[in-house]
Structure formats: structure tokens, C-alpha cells
Amino acid sequence: MLLGFNRAGKTRLAKWYMQFDDDEKQKLIEEVHAVVTVRDAKHTNFVEFRNFKIIYRRYAGLYFCICVDVTDNNLAYLEGIHNFVEVLNEYFHNVCELDLVFNFYKVYTVVDEMFLAGEIRETSQTKVLKQLLMLQSLE
Amino acid sequence: MALKMVKGSIDRIFDKNLQDLVRGVRSHREDEAKYISSCIDEIKQELKQDNIAVKANAVCKLTYLQMLGYDISWAAFNIVEVMSSSKFTYKRIGYLAASQCFHDGTDVIMLTTNQIRKDLSSPNQYDTGVALTGLSCFVTPDLARDLANDIMTLMSHTKPYIRKKAVLIMYKVFLKYPESLRPAFPRLKEKLDDPDPGVQSAAVNVICELARRNPRNYLSLAPLFFKLMTSSTNNWVLIKIIKLFGALTPLEPRLGKKLIEPLTNLIHSTSAMSLLYECVNTVIADCCVCVKTDTCPRPPQLCVQKLRILIEDSDQNLKYLGLLAMSKILKTHPKSVQSHKDLVLQCLDDKDESIRLRALDLLYGMVSKKNLMEIVKKLMVHVDKAEGTTYRDELLTKIIDICSQSNYQYITNFEWYISILVELTRLEGTRHGHLIASQMLDVAVRVKAIRGFAVVQMATLLDNTTLLAGSGQHKSICEVLYAAAWICGEFSEHLEDPVHTLEAMLRPKVATLPGHIQAIYIQNAAKLFAAVLNGQQGTPDCQTMQESSQLLIDRLPLFVQSADLEVQERASCILQLVKFIQKLQHKEVEVGEEVTALFAGELNPVAPKAQKKVPVPDGLDLDAWINEPPSESESEDEKPVAVFAEEELRHARPHHTEVDEKELARRREARKQEQANNPFYIKASPTSQKGYQDSTGVEHIPVVQIDLSVPLKVPGGWMSTSDKYLKLEEERRQRERKERGKKEKKKKKKREKRSGMGRRHDSGPESEEDIAPAHMVDIVTEEMPENALSSDDDEKDPNDPYRALDVCDIQGNLQNGSQVVVSIIFENKSTSFLKSMEFNVLDSLNSKLQRPEGSGPHDGLTVPFQLPPGVSNEARFIFSVQSIVMPQRLKGTLTFIVKADDSSTHEKLDFKLHFTCSSYLITTPCYSDTFAKLLESADLKGTSVRLQEVSLPFHHLLAKICFHHHFSVVERIDSCASLYSRSIQGHHVCLLVKYAHQTVTIDAKCDESSLLGNVLEEIKKTFSQS
């Protein structure tokens, strides 16, 4: 599960790699928002959550969370999130929250280029950006 | 037609695009839901048009709304339409929408198979790509089966872009359609050698995930991965491979040895923390394996060093992970971790609670006899300055856990421990009063030599009024008074001033304590009284005796008025006894001995396994029937009779009391069966559950014998603080060390004389074994009955399939008009320890869970106990109910922490509480004349129901109504009977049941017609079920 939301809890990105029904998804988002936003910069970027753990990172008012198995490598996913945000930043040229709001479908394209079926798919920023530009040119 | 087209394109200009929608949503913050519902109406119009561009725009907007949490499943068909557009822009929108909102239950998915297949084989790689991405989200078992071949072909596509996606999506396909794994695996394995590193890493990813689920099948790939690990430079791939090895080494210990070297190299060389962490983790895991097979090359000193660096880092994340990994090492190499105690203690000061909790976990494993006092002292400092009560409570439980672990193995001075417990009682607002109390009781009962000291401390606690004062808000802490009162009463011979303590126990303020504690106070006041009498026996001055009798006579009446039955009963019983004694005193009869005899005999702890260790006598076959079981049909008939009879038994009619033991057992069985069929059954009274337990002779109970060889030191003051003990202990140890040193020197001299060879002379730190405890406590040996079986085969069943908690019985107890007490039995059917259980119910307008003052309406209630595996316990919750005329269903959840050996998880369990109208009825006996008067009064409204085809005998039928719906039979004449019951709010419910030709007619009267209707409905249901 990959989530992006702002401090107020408005979802900006929600990608699910497990199946839930709509109510459950909404409930999960609210729960994750509740546990993550209370933490401040002095806290770790990891939260134990149900049978999983959440690894999150805050960028200005936006939180990006990824929910993984407890056995997964925390730091790798933390770097994964950062990598993703760097790509967003490059793609939208100094990304801000509004970019994500108005181009939400593009954000999903970026997600799909970098993660697939819950796995990290491509980590090379240049490769991802090249593909994204190709896709954009098709529009 | 042309006009329509024009009209369509003009409309199009006014259509909102996504940007407009987003802006609109942002500018309608106040009434977002209303605005969005108007947007959805517009979108519905747009979807009706033929223009695919309009539809795509609409679907795009819907996808945005879906992200905000709105339901768009109604547009599933339109999404499929947009997916099948030939234009990439639209197709992409369609696939995105599908991947966000389709799931296994979406029925239109089966329409998409051919479309997806077409897209997968499209000459345009981006069509293929978008189809693969979409499919990865919504693939169903059917789609997986139908498309597995197509995707497998794509794994050899010319473009790496597609190959990579195809490889990754195969994982999803395997999950949905496992049969595809075998044919696809060779090709997947080939991809490990793919020229494109991206494809390679995708293949590694997939195989690692598969191997995590079933490592055994992938052992053969180990050499291949080993090669990859030593050659690859991509950290992401390396992490995955190392994780895979982590899963493989438990199966193949030799692999672990082989891995140590490359992993060590990586640990030294890498700059990426994530990789370093993964390596360290895997080395630790390897060592765990090695330790099991006794082939561990060396303790993971390198790992500990690296972890120390992580923990010392200013980055909180690294600190946390370092501690986490450290606790894994602790299990196998406790020695190598213990030297880092300072560091762990530092982490207790950390601002992040998760770090502090990890550090606490570590401390638990780090204590030894030597450092226990020091560690606990530090923890006590933290307790004092801890801010949140949650963390403070966590500290408190940890302190007790640490001290009491393995039967108080590390405690060398129990006076110190008692002092610690007493200090802990000063914590305000803790929830763990009962925990402290049980520790006090446990120690006082099991460590005989400490009793004198404990009693003095407990007497001070009783004398101290702060605990009493706090009892209003912080209910839990006054639990320690329970322990204090019991200890003072039971071991009263150690009291210095029993009269004073007696006075303290009978203060009027005691009446504000919870009932069960008051009861203990009264009972133990009586014991103290007996001790006072006995102590004064023979002395000419009988004033003290008379004073204390008078004291009891003055103070007890307050408790006789208590609302708590237990308190009332004990108080009035003892009051009468004292009055009698006073009379004898006036006649100057010596009564001390007789009164003491009331409380004679010592209570001893029983080993938990004791009962199982009692060997079964020869010739006793517990499985054999004592009497042949009654035949099937007979038991069908008999069961309800038993139930019915017992219903009457509750009213204590004399002619029913002579039922024999067997009969009772059978009835109990019958009732259990009834209840098993109806797990949420709420019954009127939870009494009569006990009382049948036959009490065997006390002398057969095996006891835990405790032996203290070293006499106690005389305590220096009354309320000694634990610090003092730390100092004393230090001094004692130093003294011992000196003495030992002397001895050693002597020995050495001798030895030198003899052999001329100095062996060892270390004045270094003493080793664990050298510390002689101040109190030699042999707690481990539990005395078993003679010829007890020594085999230890009473381990819990490892095959227990459920790690779930079982809410197995809900019983309602109805008290006053608006309160319902629900007792719930929690049974832990798993093999893990459950703790931090929180019970919460979604209140309805009518029924509300009563929560303590100050908590919000959605807060859960903490279940006041933890559950070790296989244990069940009962908790009670009070609900306030306004109207009882309608049945209620309340949804609730129970959240809890499952504590496994190495990790703990947070889980929850949903349940429903069913408050039937019948559960609001209380079985109330009624005499036929009162009943007749009731029927005559005009207040009652009547109604009737007819039950067809009831084939039960009439007495069976009556029993059922009585049992399930809490009625009592007023009168029965042939096949006609009158029944009565009363609701908790005082409604009268009268039934007249007639039975003829398999048809039951129930004429009913009640002063509340909807209540009556619902009760009748429930009665009907009871019979339709059977």
C-alpha cells in the first residue's frame, strides 16, 4: 500500500497492492493518517501498524507512507520513498502539493513506473524519467 | 442527428474537466459532499453520451473522486468502455480507473479478458505496458488463468521495458493461479541472467518473494544467487538477495557459514545503511541457526559493534533499528550484548516512545543478579519523570516483569523488592494496581522469611490514607490495599501493633473502596481481632481485648449496610460473632484460642502443574462411562426438563434441593449445550454457575515449598527506600568479596607452597555465580505429591490452529432499570501471549457503553488483564440502556497485542453484541392470585401468536420459553400454562400458553406493546430454529 496525504488528511495518492473494499480502504487511510501525523521530526520514520509496519516520510505538508511486511527492510523502503519523491520533483519541476492534486493521474503513472505489484520495479531515476516523457508525448 | 452532434459539442464546452472539478472541490470546503454529489450527477449525464472523449473525461473525474473516498463502482461498465478505446490517452484513463476501483467481486471484469489480451499483444509497447500495469492491480483468478500464457510470452519480449513488467506481474499471477508457477518457472529463472539489469532485478524480486513463502523449493538456486550477490553492485538487488539467503539458511546451515565472509566484506565496505542493516540482520539470523547446531563460528562481535554505531547515531531511525536487531542477538548471545547496557539505558531517555519501548525490551534480557538493582533503580528514576501514563505503566510492568522473571531468579534481596513494590504504589493513575498487588501477595506467601518485613510495610500502607483518598479516580491502585490487608491479616503474628492496624482497617473511609477490597478488609479485620485476643490471652489486663471488640462493634455496622453483598454478608456475620465474644468476655471466659481456631491453618501456594502431576490411581479409567449415556431420543426429551427444573431451583424451592450430584452434572451439561448453540446468549443471572464444584480435601493439594537458608537482616527503618538496599547490597558484596579474597589468598599460598605455580589472581568483576544472594530462595522446586509423575508432557498443543481470540460467552446481568451488565469471557485459543486488550463498542442512541469519566464517547475500555495462551478470563462491561422495548445489535471491536517470542503484532477482532428483548426480562416468580389481579387490571394490552407444527412435548416447550426468555411458570394445568416475567424497567409480561394438536397459542399481555411484540417475535424465533 502506498499512500500520500497532507496534514489535514486529504488523500493525494492511494495505491493498493492488496485488495480491500472501499470502506476498508477509507478506514485504513484514516488510521494511517492518525498514527503518522501525530509524530514529529524527532520520531522514527517507522510505525508498527496492525500486522505490518508503515514507513513514512514527510515532505513539507505532505506525507508519503508505504506499508510493508515486518520482515522488510525499513531503510530500503525509506530510500524508495525518497527516490520516488525525487522523480516527482524532477518530473513536475519543483513539485508542490498542487501539482499532485491537478495531475493526480500522472502521479499514478509515476508510481506504476517505479513500483509494480507491490515491488520496487525501477530505481534508476533517469530511466524512469525517460519513460515518463515518452508516455507524455503520446498524449 | 447533426443537431445532436452540435449540441453535444456545445455541451462539451461547458463540461467540467478534471481541473475544474479539483478547483471546485477545493473551493467548496464547507459543503464538499453536496458539491460532489452534484458533480456525480453531471458525470452520470456525461457518461450517457456517445462521445468517448466525454466519457473518458468523466471517468477521469470519477477516479479523482474515488481517491477522495467516494463510491464509483456503479460506473464499472463505463470504465470498461473507456479501457477499450483505441486511443492511448483514453485507454490509459480507463486502465487507471479500473486499477483503482476493480476488485475480485467486480462482475464486469470477466468482460475485459479479450480486451486485455488484445492490448497485451498490441504492437505499441505502451498499450502493452499500460495493460500490464492495470492488470497487476485487478488480476483475478480467472484473468490469471486465461492470460497466464500471454504474459509468459511477454517475458521474452524484445523490449526490456515490457519484459520487466511481465516478470513482475507473474508474481501476482502465481498468487492468483498457482498452477502457472511450474510451467513459468524455467523462464523466470532464465531472467536472472537477462542482459538488462532492470529485468534481472525484477526476477530477483519475484523469486525472493516466492522463496519467502516457501523457501525449500528454492534451495537449489542458492549457488546462482551466491554468484549474483558477489557480482552485483545494485544495492536494491543485494538487499533482496541477502533477505532471500536469510530465508534459506535455516534450511541449510552450511550456507550460513559460507555467507559469513561475503557478508562481513559487505558490512565493512558498504556505505548504504540499508544494505548494512540487511547484512547485519542476516548474519544475526545465521548465528541463531548456528547456535542451534552448535557450529557457530564466533559470536557476532562485528555485528554488535556495528549496531552500537547505529544506536549511537543521532538518526532516530538507525537507533530504532539498531535496538531492534540488538534484541535478536540478545536471544543467542546475551553476553555480548550485556556490555552495552549503558547505551540501552541512555535510550530510555529518548524522545520517541518506540525507541524507549525497544530499549525496555532489551533490558528485560540484560538483567543479571549483579545488575538487577542498578537497572531497576534507573528505571525507577524514569518512572518518576515519565510524562505519559501509558509509558509509565509500561515501565511499571517492565520493572515487575524484569524482577519476577524466571521465578525471581535475579532477586537477591527480597526486602529491596518489597520496597520497590511499595514505592510503585505511589504512582498516581496507574492501571496496574492489581499487578503490584499480586506480586506482593506472591512474594509474601512464597518467601517465608520476608513475611515479617512485608507485614510491617503493608501495615504502613494500610495506615497511609493517600491510597484510600485516591480510590475515587484511580480505581486500580487501591488494589494494592487488597494485598496489604490480606498480608496483614494472614501473617498477623508479625505485626508490631495489631490494634492500631485493626483500627486502620475499619476506618469509615474504607467503605469508599470497591466491594471486593472491603470484603477482604473485613475478613482480615476478623483475623486480626483473633490475633489480638490470642495475644492478650492470659494477661490480667483485658482492656485491650474489650476495646477492640467494642471497636469492631462500633465500626462494622457501616459495612453491614453495604450495597455489595459480599461485604454485607461478611460484615454481619462477623459482627454477630464479635457480639457473642463480647458477651463471653463480660463473663470473663477465655475465648482467644477458639476464635483463633477459626482462622487456623496456613494457606499455601499451589504449583500450577500440581493437579496434572497427581498420578491416576490404578484401575481408574477416566474415559470410561460411569453410567451408560442415555439414548439419543431420551436426552432430547430430558434436556429441557433439566433446564426448567433448574430454573425453579434458583428460586430455592425446598422440594428440588435433593437432586443428586449426577443429575446436576447432567443438567449442567445440558445447559452448556444449549448455550453452545447460542453463543451470544444473554441470560438473566450468572449465579448458580459455581457451587457445584465439589471441594476436595485441602490436605491433598500439593504446595510450593519455599526455603530460606540465610536469615534476614534487621531492617533499618520503617519505610525504607529501595536505594538503601542498593547500598547495603553493595556493601554486602564487597564484604563477601573481601572475605573471598582472603580465602583465595590463603588457598593460593597453600597452592604456591605445594606446586610453586600461581594459578589465577583476578580481582576483576565477580562472575554471576559468585554472588551469594542475601535471601536464598528456592522457588523453583514445586513440591509435588508423592509418587508424582516426573514426565513433563503437559505442554500446550502446538497444533492449535487459531491465533485468534475467542469471545465465547456473553452473559448479561440486569440490575437497575437502565443498566445492563455484560460479562464476556475472553479465551485465548492461540499459542501467543495477548495483552493490552481494548474493548470498544459503537454506541447506539439507545445503548451506550459506560466509560470512565473523562474519556471520549469512542474510547475503548481496557480489559483489566492479560491473557497467556490457553487462558480464559471474564470481564464485565456496563451498558446503559434507555429504552428496552426494542432489541439491539451493537457492533464492537476488540483490539489487542499478540506477543510472540520475537515480535508483537497489533490485531483486532470484530464482534456483535445482541441485546434481545428477552434479555431485558428477569425471571421473577409470581403467585397465581397476584397474576390474576394483574390480568384483570386494565393497564395491560393483549396480543397473541400462534406457532404451527410444534412437535415438542408441552413441558419441554415451557422449559424452553422459561430458559431462553426468562419466564417463570405461575400455574400449569394439563396443556395450558400461565407464565410471568418482569422487565428491568418493571413492565409486567404475562403469557398464557395453550397447546393442542401441534399448535401452540400464546396469549400475551403487557403494559408495553412493542416490548411484548418483540418478545413474542423472539419466542417464535426460538421455536422456528429448533
Side-chain angles (χ1 to χ4, degrees):
Chain A
M1 173 174 85
L2 179 66
L3 278 182
F5 49 75
N6 65 13
R7 278 194 67 80
K10 285 275 174 237
T11 318
R12 296 302 176 217
L13 163 68
K15 187 82 190 174
W16 304 86
Y17 296 106
M18 277 164 78
Q19 291 201 348
F20 298 99
D21 60 34
D22 285 349
D23 293 345
E24 190 121 24
K25 282 182 184 173
Q26 218 44 42
K27 205 173 153 210
L28 279 168
I29 293 177
E30 280 161 26
E31 278 180 41
V32 173
H33 172 255
V35 294
V36 165
T37 44
V38 293
R39 301 171 65 84
D40 65 28
K42 293 185 195 88
H43 288 99
T44 55
N45 295 55
F46 319 126
V47 193
E48 285 164 23
F49 181 74
R50 299 197 179 177
N51 289 339
F52 302 93
K53 60 188 176 192
I54 296 168
I55 291 153
Y56 72 94
R57 218 166 165 140
R58 184 180 169 177
Y59 294 89
L62 266 188
Y63 289 86
F64 289 92
C65 309
I66 201 160
C67 187
V68 295
D69 286 340
V70 269
T71 50
D72 277 319
N73 187 313
N74 298 30
L75 295 172
Y77 279 98
L78 201 60
E79 283 168 37
I81 295 177
H82 190 61
N83 198 20
F84 169 63
V85 175
E86 277 181 348
V87 170
L88 286 181
N89 197 36
E90 197 67 28
Y91 183 52
F92 289 110
H93 308 290
N94 279 326
V95 68
C96 67
E97 189 177 339
L98 284 185
D99 286 325
L100 306 189
V101 178
F102 285 110
N103 300 293
F104 85 97
Y105 56 96
K106 287 186 187 165
V107 178
Y108 280 104
T109 320
V110 180
V111 174
D112 288 338
E113 286 303 310
M114 301 189 70
F115 302 92
L116 192 82
E119 293 298 317
I120 294 176
R121 190 187 76 128
E122 181 56 73
T123 51
S124 152
Q125 293 187 13
T126 41
K127 268 193 190 171
V128 172
L129 285 166
K130 210 175 99 194
Q131 289 299 345
L132 287 171
L133 294 177
M134 282 296 289
L135 283 169
Q136 205 170 12
S137 67
L138 289 173
E139 303 255 327
Chain B
M1 184 66 198
L3 194 67
K4 200 180 166 192
M5 289 272 284
V6 173
K7 192 171 171 287
S9 54
I10 290 173
D11 278 351
R12 180 87 185 88
I13 299 169
F14 298 109
D15 279 351
K16 282 196 191 82
N17 62 14
L18 178 68
Q19 263 69 22
D20 299 329
L21 175 77
V22 172
R23 269 188 214 110
V25 171
R26 291 172 65 81
S27 59
H28 288 77
R29 289 234 167 87
E30 304 297 311
D31 51 348
E32 189 186 284
K34 199 175 141 206
Y35 176 76
I36 285 176
S37 77
S38 80
C39 287
I40 288 183
D41 288 342
E42 277 172 26
I43 289 169
K44 280 185 178 158
Q45 288 308 313
E46 287 165 29
L47 286 175
K48 280 184 191 144
Q49 295 190 30
D50 293 331
N51 190 333
I52 190 73
V54 179
K55 270 189 189 162
N57 182 45
V59 166
C60 186
K61 288 192 282 184
L62 280 179
T63 316
Y64 182 74
L65 295 181
Q66 194 268 351
M67 186 171 78
L68 296 183
Y70 293 87
D71 175 38
I72 63 159
S73 54
W74 49 270
F77 186 75
N78 303 102
I79 293 172
V80 176
E81 279 182 310
V82 177
M83 272 164 76
S84 46
S85 158
S86 56
K87 206 165 167 223
F88 177 72
T89 321
Y90 302 148
K91 187 185 288 300
R92 205 204 52 202
I93 291 172
Y95 270 104
L96 174 61
S99 62
Q100 291 299 95
C101 80
F102 281 12
H103 50 84
D104 277 0
T106 310
D107 43 7
V108 293
I109 280 193
M110 54 188 188
L111 301 177
T112 59
T113 318
N114 278 325
Q115 179 60 41
I116 295 172
R117 181 173 286 143
K118 212 175 103 197
D119 289 334
L120 287 180
S121 53
S122 157
N124 181 345
Q125 61 160 322
Y126 294 103
D127 281 352
T128 316
V130 89
L132 280 174
T133 324
L135 194 58
S136 75
C137 294
F138 58 79
V139 61
T140 61
D142 284 344
L143 280 178
R145 188 193 59 224
D146 295 341
L147 298 171
N149 258 326
D150 303 70
I151 301 168
M152 216 152 82
T153 327
L154 289 177
M155 278 164 69
S156 320
H157 199 268
T158 48
K159 295 275 188 350
Y161 178 73
I162 298 298
R163 286 208 300 273
K164 197 161 58 182
K165 285 197 173 192
V167 168
L168 279 173
I169 202 176
M170 272 324 270
Y171 175 61
K172 281 273 165 171
V173 173
F174 295 150
L175 289 186
K176 295 282 177 184
Y177 180 61
E179 286 90 333
S180 60
L181 179 56
R182 203 165 284 277
F185 194 73
R187 196 170 287 184
L188 184 62
K189 204 173 135 189
E190 269 171 36
K191 295 295 135 196
L192 288 174
D193 288 326
D194 196 278
D196 183 273
V199 179
Q200 218 180 34
S201 84
V204 171
N205 265 339
V206 172
I207 293 178
C208 287
E209 279 306 309
L210 290 170
R212 229 154 72 167
R213 285 166 187 259
N214 186 5
R216 195 165 294 280
N217 292 351
Y218 301 89
L219 263 179
S220 60
L221 292 179
L224 193 58
F225 276 109
F226 200 81
K227 205 184 86 200
L228 265 178
M229 181 173 75
T230 40
S231 62
S232 175
T233 51
N234 182 335
N235 285 345
W236 306 88
V237 175
L238 280 174
I239 288 174
K240 277 283 169 187
I241 296 176
I242 291 167
K243 200 170 267 306
L244 172 74
F245 278 126
L248 294 182
T249 40
L251 303 170
E252 180 54 273
R254 280 175 299 169
L255 200 58
K257 264 192 208 166
K258 219 180 157 195
L259 278 173
I260 293 277
E261 198 205 324
L263 287 181
T264 316
N265 289 342
L266 274 175
I267 291 175
H268 281 301
S269 64
T270 186
S271 59
M273 278 299 177
S274 49
L275 182 58
L276 174 84
Y277 181 67
E278 197 60 54
C279 292
V280 169
N281 243 340
T282 306
V283 172
I284 295 168
D286 285 354
C287 282
C288 293
V289 176
C290 293
V291 163
K292 274 178 207 147
T293 53
D294 292 328
T295 55
C296 190
R298 61 195 161 122
Q301 207 49 47
L302 174 68
C303 295
V304 179
Q305 277 166 19
K306 283 281 172 188
L307 288 180
R308 188 175 170 104
I309 295 171
L310 288 189
I311 298 173
E312 280 171 338
D313 200 290
S314 58
D315 185 339
Q316 297 286 62
N317 294 332
L318 298 183
K319 210 183 266 274
Y320 172 83
L321 293 174
L323 289 170
L324 200 65
M326 201 71 117
S327 63
K328 284 181 193 151
I329 302 187
L330 186 70
K331 275 180 204 137
T332 50
H333 300 88
K335 285 253 164 66
S336 51
V337 182
Q338 266 161 12
S339 53
H340 302 282
K341 196 183 68 206
D342 55 320
L343 198 59
V344 177
L345 282 171
Q346 264 173 35
C347 291
L348 287 179
D349 289 320
D350 203 280
K351 289 194 183 68
D352 188 346
E353 196 170 297
S354 51
I355 289 184
R356 293 196 302 254
L357 291 178
R358 287 288 148 217
L360 273 180
D361 281 347
L362 265 176
L363 274 183
Y364 179 77
M366 289 174 113
V367 289
S368 61
K369 279 184 183 162
K370 200 165 57 172
N371 63 19
L372 174 75
M373 285 188 173
E374 185 196 339
I375 287 183
V376 171
K377 186 189 163 193
K378 293 224 167 102
L379 290 180
M380 291 298 284
V381 174
H382 283 283
V383 169
D384 282 340
K385 62 183 184 190
E387 285 157 18
T389 42
T390 343
Y391 178 59
R392 207 167 52 182
D393 278 354
E394 189 67 32
L395 272 170
L396 191 153
T397 38
K398 262 287 156 1
I399 290 177
I400 290 180
D401 278 357
I402 286 176
C403 292
S404 63
Q405 66 176 311
S406 354
N407 249 326
Y408 308 102
Q409 188 193 346
Y410 300 116
I411 294 187
T412 51
N413 187 333
F414 276 90
E415 280 182 30
W416 164 82
Y417 187 45
I418 293 275
S419 315
I420 287 285
L421 290 175
V422 171
E423 272 175 53
L424 287 176
T425 62
R426 294 182 204 147
L427 283 186
E428 262 178 45
T430 177
R431 293 181 291 128
H432 294 301
H434 62 280
L435 195 63
I436 305 176
S438 68
Q439 284 289 299
M440 286 172 168
L441 286 172
D442 199 40
V443 172
V445 170
R446 295 174 66 185
V447 187
K448 268 191 185 140
I450 198 68
R451 284 179 191 164
F453 179 77
V455 167
V456 173
Q457 293 286 317
M458 294 303 125
T460 328
L461 268 187
L462 287 179
D463 205 20
N464 193 338
T465 46
T466 47
L467 282 176
L468 274 176
S471 64
Q473 299 136 318
H474 316 297
K475 281 247 158 67
S476 178
I477 194 63
C478 56
E479 289 290 326
V480 297
L481 292 175
Y482 178 97
W486 189 85
I487 291 172
C488 285
E490 184 66 22
F491 308 120
S492 50
E493 66 271 19
H494 300 286
L495 271 178
E496 312 222 330
D497 186 359
V499 183
H500 181 73
T501 309
L502 184 62
E503 196 275 327
M505 277 164 80
L506 291 169
R507 284 179 195 152
K509 205 125 194 234
V510 171
T512 59
L513 288 172
H516 66 286
I517 299 179
Q518 284 184 55
I520 281 291
Y521 263 70
I522 291 163
Q523 187 73 14
N524 285 287
K527 286 189 209 165
L528 269 183
F529 177 61
V532 171
L533 287 187
N534 206 31
Q536 298 292 324
Q537 196 90 341
T539 51
D541 162 40
C542 56
Q543 204 190 342
T544 328
M545 285 198 272
Q546 276 166 6
E547 267 174 17
S548 40
S549 330
Q550 196 53 47
L551 179 73
L552 281 164
I553 290 171
D554 290 345
R555 299 282 176 84
L556 280 176
L558 173 67
F559 298 99
V560 174
Q561 292 162 9
S562 170
D564 190 293
L565 283 181
E566 182 81 15
V567 179
Q568 198 188 83
E569 192 168 70
R570 289 189 192 211
S572 54
C573 185
I574 286 160
L575 182 61
Q576 290 313 314
L577 179 73
V578 177
K579 278 183 181 163
F580 180 66
I581 290 169
Q582 203 183 29
K583 254 187 228 165
L584 291 177
Q585 277 174 343
H586 287 313
K587 292 179 191 159
E588 296 187 358
V589 181
E590 297 266 308
V591 285
E593 235 162 78
E594 279 90 341
V595 179
T596 320
L598 280 177
F599 306 107
E602 199 175 336
L603 287 176
N604 280 312
V606 181
K609 292 174 182 171
Q611 182 60 51
K612 287 189 180 172
K613 301 277 177 178
V614 180
V616 178
D618 282 341
L620 173 63
D621 182 359
L622 288 173
D623 294 328
W625 288 103
I626 296 171
N627 284 325
E628 277 306 306
S631 68
E632 204 55 22
S633 61
E634 195 189 345
S635 72
E636 266 299 295
D637 279 0
E638 290 288 312
K639 197 168 65 179
V641 180
V643 169
F644 183 40
E646 196 188 286
E647 202 65 33
E648 290 190 336
L649 194 72
R650 275 191 207 144
H651 309 145
R653 297 206 181 159
H655 57 278
H656 274 286
T657 44
E658 69 267 350
V659 263
D660 61 305
E661 200 66 7
K662 244 183 335 192
E663 175 75 5
L664 281 173
R666 200 170 52 73
R667 287 177 185 179
R668 200 158 58 230
E669 198 46 47
R671 197 176 36 160
K672 267 187 196 154
Q673 270 178 20
E674 283 274 0
Q675 288 185 353
N677 295 335
N678 192 357
F680 292 105
Y681 179 65
I682 298 183
K683 90 183 163 50
S685 151
T687 56
S688 78
Q689 290 278 23
K690 294 168 190 164
Y692 298 125
Q693 260 85 24
D694 34 10
S695 50
T696 38
V698 182
E699 58 270 34
H700 300 305
I701 300 172
V703 296
V704 181
Q705 194 78 350
I706 278 135
D707 195 23
L708 266 187
S709 64
V710 181
L712 278 175
K713 294 189 301 278
V714 182
W718 286 125
M719 204 67 152
S720 40
T721 61
S722 51
D723 289 358
K724 198 184 70 200
Y725 288 96
L726 196 61
K727 233 185 252 167
L728 279 173
E729 184 70 13
E730 267 312 303
E731 282 167 15
R732 189 178 67 83
R733 280 186 199 169
Q734 250 164 19
R735 216 167 38 237
E736 273 176 15
R737 213 176 306 163
K738 262 187 216 156
E739 276 167 26
R740 210 169 37 234
K742 274 183 211 157
K743 278 182 203 161
E744 209 139 283
K745 265 183 205 161
K746 278 182 201 160
K747 269 188 205 161
K748 219 175 79 186
K749 270 181 200 160
K750 278 183 197 164
R751 217 183 282 133
E752 271 173 309
K753 269 179 203 163
R754 243 186 282 160
S755 63
M757 202 165 70
R759 291 292 284 279
R760 63 181 182 127
H761 181 94
D762 53 343
S763 53
E766 52 207 326
S767 71
E768 185 73 355
E769 295 73 21
D770 291 343
I771 304 173
H775 306 172
M776 189 60 94
V777 183
D778 186 14
I779 301 178
V780 194
T781 45
E782 289 158 346
E783 192 187 272
M784 293 301 172
E786 280 172 45
N787 67 3
L789 306 175
S790 60
S791 71
D792 206 3
D793 54 0
D794 46 4
E795 296 300 331
K796 56 184 182 256
D797 179 16
N799 299 327
D800 193 343
Y802 297 111
R803 223 179 51 161
L805 190 99
D806 184 31
V807 178
C808 81
D809 199 356
I810 299 184
Q811 307 176 326
N813 186 10
L814 313 174
Q815 288 178 341
N816 64 38
S818 59
Q819 274 192 359
V820 182
V821 178
V822 177
S823 21
I824 299 181
I825 297 171
F826 299 89
E827 186 184 350
N828 181 357
K829 288 191 162 174
S830 71
T831 53
S832 312
F833 192 89
L834 304 186
K835 62 169 204 170
S836 303
M837 289 190 282
E838 251 193 326
F839 175 89
N840 202 357
V841 168
L842 211 59
D843 287 347
S844 69
L845 273 177
N846 190 29
S847 313
K848 291 187 172 64
L849 177 60
Q850 289 199 351
R851 297 174 167 87
E853 267 176 51
S855 51
H858 305 298
D859 291 354
L861 289 182
T862 314
V863 180
F865 47 78
Q866 310 187 331
L867 281 184
V871 169
S872 64
N873 204 342
E874 186 194 54
R876 292 181 169 205
F877 301 94
I878 302 176
F879 286 81
S880 60
V881 186
Q882 281 190 339
S883 158
I884 58 157
V885 301
M886 297 283 278
Q888 284 270 323
R889 251 175 222 277
L890 293 188
K891 267 191 186 175
T893 45
L894 181 79
T895 56
F896 50 93
I897 291 177
V898 180
K899 220 173 151 186
D901 286 337
D902 47 351
S903 65
S904 51
T905 53
H906 203 245
E907 299 199 24
K908 72 177 191 111
L909 197 73
D910 290 314
F911 59 84
K912 269 187 192 151
L913 285 178
H914 192 182
F915 292 79
T916 58
C917 277
S918 302
S919 62
Y920 297 126
L921 298 181
I922 299 177
T923 320
T924 320
C926 182
Y927 293 108
S928 49
D929 46 348
T930 342
F931 189 75
K933 263 181 213 157
L934 263 175
L935 285 183
E936 280 163 23
S937 71
D939 300 345
L940 303 188
K941 292 169 208 91
T943 179
S944 65
V945 285
R946 188 180 283 265
L947 308 170
Q948 305 281 1
E949 286 175 39
V950 178
S951 53
L952 299 168
F954 188 57
H955 60 273
H956 186 164
L957 179 119
L958 283 184
K960 259 198 150 162
I961 298 179
C962 288
F963 181 72
H964 288 291
H965 305 284
H966 313 145
F967 280 88
S968 63
V969 178
V970 179
E971 217 168 3
R972 181 185 156 189
I973 303 157
D974 296 325
S975 55
C976 181
S978 50
L979 284 80
Y980 174 78
S981 186
R982 229 171 105 171
S983 80
I984 52 171
Q985 291 179 355
H987 306 291
H988 302 283
V989 190
C990 308
L991 301 184
L992 190 65
V993 185
K994 286 178 222 156
Y995 183 74
H997 312 296
Q998 299 211 331
T999 307
V1000 181
T1001 329
I1002 302 178
D1003 291 309
K1005 278 194 167 184
C1006 175
D1007 38 3
E1008 173 57 63
S1009 54
S1010 50
L1011 173 70
L1012 182 63
N1014 284 315
V1015 170
L1016 289 180
E1017 204 51 47
E1018 283 163 24
I1019 293 180
K1020 234 175 165 176
K1021 213 177 270 170
T1022 311
F1023 286 97
S1024 64
Q1025 275 163 3
S1026 58

